Amino acid sequence: MSASIYKKIELVGTSTTSFEHATSQAVERAAATTRGLSWFEVTELRGAISDGKISEYQVSLKIGLRVDEAAG
Amino acid sequence: MSASIYKKIELVGTSTTSFEHATSQAVERAAATTRGLSWFEVTELRGAISDGKISEYQVSLKIGLRVDEAAG
Amino acid sequence: MSASIYKKIELVGTSTTSFEHATSQAVERAAATTRGLSWFEVTELRGAISDGKISEYQVSLKIGLRVDEAAG
Amino acid sequence: MSASIYKKIELVGTSTTSFEHATSQAVERAAATTRGLSWFEVTELRGAISDGKISEYQVSLKIGLRVDEAAG
Amino acid sequence: MSASIYKKIELVGTSTTSFEHATSQAVERAAATTRGLSWFEVTELRGAISDGKISEYQVSLKIGLRVDEAAG
Amino acid sequence: MSASIYKKIELVGTSTTSFEHATSQAVERAAATTRGLSWFEVTELRGAISDGKISEYQVSLKIGLRVDEAAG
Amino acid sequence: MSASIYKKIELVGTSTTSFEHATSQAVERAAATTRGLSWFEVTELRGAISDGKISEYQVSLKIGLRVDEAAG
Amino acid sequence: MSASIYKKIELVGTSTTSFEHATSQAVERAAATTRGLSWFEVTELRGAISDGKISEYQVSLKIGLRVDEAAG
Amino acid sequence: MSASIYKKIELVGTSTTSFEHATSQAVERAAATTRGLSWFEVTELRGAISDGKISEYQVSLKIGLRVDEAAG
Amino acid sequence: MSASIYKKIELVGTSTTSFEHATSQAVERAAATTRGLSWFEVTELRGAISDGKISEYQVSLKIGLRVDEAAG
Amino acid sequence: MSASIYKKIELVGTSTTSFEHATSQAVERAAATTRGLSWFEVTELRGAISDGKISEYQVSLKIGLRVDEAAG
Amino acid sequence: MSASIYKKIELVGTSTTSFEHATSQAVERAAATTRGLSWFEVTELRGAISDGKISEYQVSLKIGLRVDEAAG
C-alpha cells in the first residue's frame, strides 16, 4: 500500500494591483519550475506604500506539492 | 432589561474567481437558511491548485448571528 | 552614523465593495495627515452583514511610517 | 465500553454591567434550548463604547456539551 | 456555475485507549447524524488522570462537512 | 460615497479593585481627550502582587475610534 | 553588581462567584507557601456548568516571584 | 465554603515507540513523586531522527494537579 | 572554531492507519533523498473523511537537518 | 483614590550593528519627544540582508508610557 | 528499556547590559540549585525604561532539565 | 509589467557566543550557496546548556530571497 507525501514551500508573491494577483503570481511562478502543486495557504498579507498610495501588494503563502508515493 | 446573545458559526466558502466571491458565497448560503446574520470574521485563506493555476479560492469565516433577547 | 526609526499605527479601513478597497481607504486616510508611510501589515479581515448580504468589508492594518533619523 | 462525545458551540454574551454577567447570559441562553452543558472557555473579551463610557460588555465563549454515548 | 460551501463543527472525542481512538470516536459520532463529512483538523490534545494514570484521552477537532451547492 | 475609517490605540488601565474597573478607567481616560470612541478589545490581563495580595489589576485594551469620513 | 531573577509558576484558581475571586484565590494560596510574589499574568478563563448555570469560574495564571539576587 | 486550587507543571516525556507512550511516561513519572494529578494538556509534539528513522518521540505536556483546599 | 547550521523543511505525511505512521512516512521519505536529518516538529494534525470514517491521517511536520559546518 | 493609565506605542528601531542597539535606538527616539516611558515589549526581530551579509537589524517593540492619573 | 523525562521550569533573567546577559543570568541561577539543565527556549523579551533609557533587559525563558530515567 | 517573487527558507544558526552571531552564521551560510537574499525574520530563540552554562545559542530564522521576475 502506498501513501502520498507532500512538501510545503513558502513563497511571497507581489503585485501592483491586488492581493489575488499577488497570490496567483506566486502560484504560477512555482508552477513554472515545479510539478505536483496541490494547494496553498495564505500566511501573511502585507504591502509597500509610496507617495501615500499602495505601491505593492505582498502575499506570503505556503504551497503544498506532492513529492511522490512512499512505500506503506 | 434585556441583553442580546449571538451565536458564531464557522463556514468555508469557495469560488473559482476570488477570495471576495468565496466570502460572499458563504454569507449568502448562511442567509438562505438562517436569520439575524450580523457580522463575519475571516479565519483562514486557502485554495486549491490544478495544472499550475489556482482552481479554487477557499475562505473560512465565522459568522455572528443574533439568536434572540435574553432576560437581563 | 544614523539609523532610521519607524512608528506603527493601527487603522481599520472600511468599504462596501472589497477588502482591497478597504485597505486602500485606510492607507489614503493616513497619508492625508501623515508623511513617511512605508509599509502596511494586514492584521484582521472582518465585515458587517445586513439583510443577508455583506454590507461592509473591514480591514485592520498596521501602517509603518518613518519618524526620522536618530543619532547612532 | 462507551466513550463520551462532546460538541463545542460558540456564543457571544452581552451585558451592560460586567464581563461576568455577559458570560452567564450566554450560558443561560444556551441552557434554555440545549441539555448537557458541561464547561465553557472564554475566547474573547470586547465591548462597545458610547458617549465615552462602556455601553456593552461582550464575551465570546465556547461551550462544551455532552451529545451522548458512542459505542466503543 | 456552482461553488461548494462547507460548515465546520467542533467536537471532542474521548477514549480510554489512545488519541487516535478518541479522534475516530468523534468522527463516527458526527457521521451517525450528519452527511457530507469531508475532513477534520485537530485543535487540542488533552486528557484526564486518575490514580496516577491516564484515564481518558480527549481530542478536540473541527470537522468540515459539505452543506450543499450554492449558485455561483 | 464615503467610508468610515477607524484608528486603534492601545491603553493599559489599572485599578486596585477589579479588571472591570481597570477597563473602564482606560476607556474614560481615553474619552477625556479623544472623541469618537466606538469599541474596545481586551488584549491582556495582568496584575501586581504586594504582601501576598493583588495590589493592582492591569488590563491592556485596544480602543477603536472613528477618525472621520473618507471620500469613497 | 547584582541582577534579580524571577521564577514563574502556573496556578489555576477556582471560585463559585467570579473570575476575580478565582484569581485572588490562586494568588493567596501561592502566598501561603511562597515568598516574593511580584506579579501575575492571566493565561486562560474557563469554567464548569451544572444544571444550566455556571458552577465554577476557573482562572489560569502565571505568577512571577523573585527567587533572589544573582552575582552580575 | 472552599475552592480548589491547582498547579500546572510542564514535563517532556520521551519514548522510542509512540507519542502515546511518551505521554504516559511523563504522567507516570509525575505520579511517582506527586499526588493529586488531575489532567494534562499536550503543548508540543517533536522527535529525534537517527539514521533516517524516528529514534525518539517527545511530548511536552502541562499536568494539572490539585494542591489543596483554600478558604473561600 | 565552527558552528553547525541546520535547515528546516516542511513535509506532510499521510497514512490510512495512524498519525504515527503518517509521521514516520514523512521522515522516511525525507531520508530517502536527504542526509543529516536530526529532529522534527509536528505543526498540524488533520485528516480526510470518507463514508463517515477517517480515510487518511495527515501530519504536517518540520524536519531539521544539518547542512554543514560554517567557519566560526 | 487614583489609578495610573498607560499608553502603548509601537516603534521599529534599526541598527547596523545589533538587536540591542536597534532596541535602544527606538527607546531613545521615543524619549526625545515623549515623557513617562516605563517599559517595552519586543514583538518582532527582523533584518535586511545586502550582499550576503546582515545590513540592518530591525526590532519592533511596544513601549508603555504613563499618560497621567485618572480619578478613581 | 528506559526513557528520559524532562521538566520545564520558567525563569526571568534580568540585566542592565543586554538580553544575552539576562539569559545567562537565569541559566546560571537555575544551575546553582538544580542539576541536569539541558536546553532553554526564550519566550519573551521585555525591559524597563528609566529617564528615557533602557534600565533593565528582561528575558523570560523555559529551561528543560532531565529529572531521571523512567522504566519503559 | 513584472512582479518580483520571493522564496522563504528556514534555517537555524548556532553559535557559542551570542544570538547575533548565530543569526549571522545562518545568513552567511545561506549566502554561500544562494543569491538574492533580501531579508530575514527571527522565529525562535533557543539554546543548549552544558555544565550549568549556555553552550550554544540557536536562532531559527526565515530568510527571504528573490527568485526572479514573473510576467505580470
Side-chain angles (χ1 to χ4, degrees):
Chain A
M1 193 175 56
S2 68
S4 300
I5 305 291
Y6 300 85
K7 185 176 182 179
K8 290 191 192 179
I9 57 174
E10 192 165 9
L11 295 180
V12 183
T14 66
S15 164
T16 56
T17 59
S18 71
F19 287 126
E20 254 95 2
H21 186 232
T23 306
S24 63
Q25 286 289 304
V27 170
E28 286 165 28
R29 175 61 182 74
T33 56
T34 320
R35 290 161 153 281
L37 306 188
S38 298
W39 83 92
F40 67 93
E41 312 162 16
V42 174
T43 57
E44 203 176 26
L45 300 174
R46 299 170 64 101
I49 305 173
S50 298
D51 296 328
K53 292 192 179 299
I54 297 173
S55 55
E56 191 174 71
Y57 292 88
Q58 301 159 346
V59 178
S60 295
L61 62 169
K62 292 191 178 181
I63 297 180
L65 54 104
R66 177 181 289 230
V67 289
D68 77 0
E69 301 291 311
Chain B
M1 194 175 55
S2 67
S4 300
I5 306 291
Y6 300 85
K7 185 176 182 179
K8 289 191 192 180
I9 57 175
E10 192 164 10
L11 296 181
V12 183
T14 67
S15 163
T16 56
T17 58
S18 71
F19 287 126
E20 255 94 4
H21 187 231
T23 306
S24 64
Q25 286 288 304
V27 169
E28 286 165 29
R29 174 62 183 74
T33 56
T34 319
R35 291 161 153 281
L37 307 187
S38 298
W39 83 92
F40 68 92
E41 310 162 17
V42 174
T43 57
E44 205 176 24
L45 300 175
R46 298 169 66 101
I49 305 173
S50 298
D51 296 329
K53 290 192 179 300
I54 297 173
S55 55
E56 190 174 73
Y57 292 88
Q58 301 160 346
V59 178
S60 294
L61 61 170
K62 291 192 178 181
I63 297 181
L65 54 103
R66 177 182 291 230
V67 288
D68 77 0
E69 301 291 311
Chain C
M1 194 174 55
S2 68
S4 300
I5 305 291
Y6 300 85
K7 186 177 182 179
K8 289 190 192 180
I9 57 174
E10 191 165 10
L11 295 181
V12 184
T14 66
S15 163
T16 55
T17 58
S18 71
F19 287 126
E20 254 95 4
H21 187 231
T23 306
S24 64
Q25 286 287 305
V27 170
E28 286 166 29
R29 175 61 183 72
T33 56
T34 320
R35 290 161 153 281
L37 306 188
S38 299
W39 83 91
F40 67 93
E41 311 162 17
V42 174
T43 57
E44 204 176 24
L45 300 174
R46 299 170 64 102
I49 304 172
S50 298
D51 296 328
K53 291 192 178 301
I54 297 173
S55 54
E56 191 174 71
Y57 292 88
Q58 300 159 347
V59 179
S60 294
L61 61 170
K62 291 191 179 183
I63 297 180
L65 55 104
R66 179 182 289 231
V67 289
D68 78 0
E69 302 291 310
Chain D
M1 194 176 56
S2 68
S4 300
I5 305 292
Y6 300 85
K7 186 177 182 179
K8 288 191 192 180
I9 57 174
E10 191 165 10
L11 296 181
V12 183
T14 66
S15 163
T16 55
T17 58
S18 71
F19 287 126
E20 255 95 3
H21 187 230
T23 305
S24 63
Q25 285 288 304
V27 170
E28 286 166 27
R29 175 60 183 74
T33 57
T34 318
R35 289 161 155 281
L37 307 187
S38 298
W39 83 90
F40 67 93
E41 311 161 16
V42 174
T43 57
E44 204 176 25
L45 299 174
R46 299 171 64 102
I49 305 172
S50 298
D51 297 329
K53 291 191 179 302
I54 297 173
S55 54
E56 191 174 71
Y57 293 89
Q58 301 159 346
V59 178
S60 294
L61 62 170
K62 291 191 178 182
I63 297 181
L65 54 104
R66 177 181 289 230
V67 288
D68 76 0
E69 302 291 311
Chain E
M1 195 174 54
S2 66
S4 300
I5 306 292
Y6 299 84
K7 185 176 182 179
K8 289 191 192 179
I9 57 174
E10 191 166 11
L11 295 182
V12 183
T14 66
S15 163
T16 55
T17 58
S18 71
F19 287 126
E20 256 95 3
H21 187 231
T23 305
S24 64
Q25 285 289 304
V27 170
E28 287 166 28
R29 175 61 183 74
T33 57
T34 319
R35 289 160 154 283
L37 307 188
S38 299
W39 83 91
F40 67 93
E41 310 161 16
V42 174
T43 57
E44 203 176 26
L45 299 174
R46 299 170 64 102
I49 304 172
S50 298
D51 296 329
K53 290 188 178 304
I54 297 174
S55 54
E56 191 175 71
Y57 292 88
Q58 301 160 346
V59 178
S60 294
L61 62 170
K62 291 192 178 181
I63 296 180
L65 55 104
R66 177 181 290 230
V67 288
D68 77 0
E69 300 291 311
Chain F
M1 193 174 56
S2 67
S4 300
I5 305 291
Y6 299 86
K7 186 177 182 179
K8 288 191 192 181
I9 57 175
E10 191 165 10
L11 295 181
V12 183
T14 66
S15 164
T16 56
T17 59
S18 71
F19 287 126
E20 255 94 3
H21 187 229
T23 306
S24 64
Q25 286 288 305
V27 170
E28 286 166 29
R29 175 59 184 76
T33 57
T34 319
R35 290 160 153 282
L37 307 187
S38 298
W39 83 91
F40 66 93
E41 310 161 17
V42 174
T43 57
E44 203 176 25
L45 300 174
R46 297 170 65 100
I49 305 173
S50 299
D51 297 329
K53 291 191 178 301
I54 297 173
S55 55
E56 191 174 72
Y57 292 88
Q58 300 160 347
V59 179
S60 293
L61 61 170
K62 292 192 178 180
I63 296 180
L65 54 104
R66 178 181 290 231
V67 288
D68 77 0
E69 302 290 312
Chain G
M1 193 175 55
S2 66
S4 300
I5 306 292
Y6 300 85
K7 185 176 181 179
K8 289 191 193 180
I9 56 175
E10 192 164 9
L11 295 180
V12 183
T14 66
S15 164
T16 55
T17 58
S18 71
F19 287 127
E20 255 95 3
H21 187 231
T23 306
S24 64
Q25 286 288 305
V27 170
E28 287 166 26
R29 174 62 183 71
T33 57
T34 319
R35 289 160 154 284
L37 307 187
S38 298
W39 83 91
F40 66 94
E41 310 161 18
V42 174
T43 58
E44 204 175 24
L45 300 174
R46 299 170 64 102
I49 305 173
S50 298
D51 297 328
K53 290 190 178 302
I54 297 173
S55 54
E56 190 174 73
Y57 292 88
Q58 301 160 346
V59 179
S60 294
L61 62 170
K62 291 192 179 182
I63 297 180
L65 54 103
R66 178 181 288 229
V67 288
D68 77 0
E69 301 292 311
Chain H
M1 194 175 53
S2 67
S4 300
I5 306 291
Y6 299 85
K7 186 175 181 178
K8 289 191 192 180
I9 57 174
E10 192 165 10
L11 296 181
V12 183
T14 66
S15 164
T16 56
T17 58
S18 72
F19 287 126
E20 254 96 3
H21 187 230
T23 306
S24 63
Q25 286 288 304
V27 169
E28 287 166 28
R29 175 60 182 75
T33 57
T34 319
R35 290 161 153 279
L37 307 187
S38 298
W39 83 92
F40 67 93
E41 311 161 16
V42 174
T43 57
E44 204 175 24
L45 299 175
R46 299 169 64 101
I49 304 173
S50 298
D51 296 329
K53 291 191 178 301
I54 297 174
S55 54
E56 190 174 73
Y57 292 88
Q58 301 160 346
V59 179
S60 294
L61 62 170
K62 292 192 178 181
I63 296 180
L65 54 104
R66 178 181 288 229
V67 288
D68 76 358
E69 301 290 311
Chain I
M1 192 175 54
S2 67
S4 301
I5 305 291
Y6 300 85
K7 186 176 181 179
K8 289 191 192 180
I9 57 174
E10 191 165 10
L11 295 180
V12 183
T14 65
S15 164
T16 55
T17 58
S18 71
F19 287 126
E20 254 95 2
H21 186 230
T23 305
S24 64
Q25 285 288 304
V27 170
E28 286 166 28
R29 174 61 182 74
T33 58
T34 319
R35 290 162 153 282
L37 307 188
S38 299
W39 82 92
F40 67 93
E41 311 162 16
V42 174
T43 58
E44 203 175 25
L45 299 174
R46 298 170 65 101
I49 304 173
S50 298
D51 297 330
K53 291 191 179 301
I54 296 173
S55 55
E56 191 174 72
Y57 293 87
Q58 301 160 345
V59 178
S60 295
L61 60 171
K62 292 192 178 180
I63 296 180
L65 54 104
R66 178 182 290 230
V67 288
D68 78 358
E69 302 290 311
Chain J
M1 195 175 55
S2 67
S4 300
I5 306 291
Y6 299 85
K7 185 176 181 178
K8 289 191 192 180
I9 57 175
E10 192 165 10
L11 295 181
V12 183
T14 66
S15 164
T16 56
T17 57
S18 71
F19 287 126
E20 256 95 3
H21 187 231
T23 306
S24 64
Q25 285 288 304
V27 169
E28 286 166 28
R29 175 60 183 74
T33 57
T34 319
R35 290 161 154 281
L37 307 187
S38 298
W39 82 92
F40 67 92
E41 312 162 17
V42 174
T43 57
E44 205 175 23
L45 299 174
R46 298 170 64 101
I49 305 173
S50 299
D51 297 328
K53 291 191 179 301
I54 297 174
S55 54
E56 190 174 72
Y57 292 88
Q58 300 160 346
V59 179
S60 293
L61 62 170
K62 291 192 178 181
I63 297 180
L65 55 103
R66 177 181 290 230
V67 289
D68 76 359
E69 302 290 312
Chain K
M1 195 174 55
S2 67
S4 300
I5 305 292
Y6 300 85
K7 185 177 183 179
K8 288 191 192 180
I9 58 174
E10 192 165 10
L11 296 181
V12 183
T14 66
S15 163
T16 56
T17 59
S18 71
F19 287 126
E20 254 96 2
H21 187 231
T23 305
S24 64
Q25 286 288 304
V27 170
E28 286 166 28
R29 175 60 183 74
T33 58
T34 319
R35 289 161 153 281
L37 307 187
S38 298
W39 82 92
F40 67 92
E41 311 161 16
V42 174
T43 57
E44 204 176 24
L45 300 174
R46 299 170 64 101
I49 304 172
S50 298
D51 296 329
K53 291 190 179 303
I54 297 173
S55 55
E56 190 174 71
Y57 293 89
Q58 301 159 346
V59 178
S60 294
L61 62 169
K62 291 191 178 184
I63 297 180
L65 55 103
R66 177 181 289 231
V67 289
D68 76 1
E69 301 290 311
Chain L
M1 194 175 53
S2 66
S4 300
I5 306 291
Y6 300 85
K7 185 176 182 179
K8 288 191 193 181
I9 57 174
E10 192 164 10
L11 295 181
V12 183
T14 66
S15 164
T16 56
T17 58
S18 71
F19 287 126
E20 254 94 4
H21 187 231
T23 306
S24 64
Q25 286 288 305
V27 170
E28 286 166 27
R29 174 61 183 74
T33 57
T34 319
R35 288 162 154 280
L37 307 187
S38 298
W39 83 92
F40 66 93
E41 312 161 17
V42 175
T43 57
E44 205 175 24
L45 300 174
R46 298 169 65 102
I49 305 173
S50 298
D51 296 329
K53 290 192 178 302
I54 297 173
S55 54
E56 191 175 72
Y57 293 88
Q58 301 159 347
V59 178
S60 294
L61 62 170
K62 292 192 179 181
I63 296 180
L65 54 103
R66 177 181 290 230
V67 289
D68 77 0
E69 301 290 311

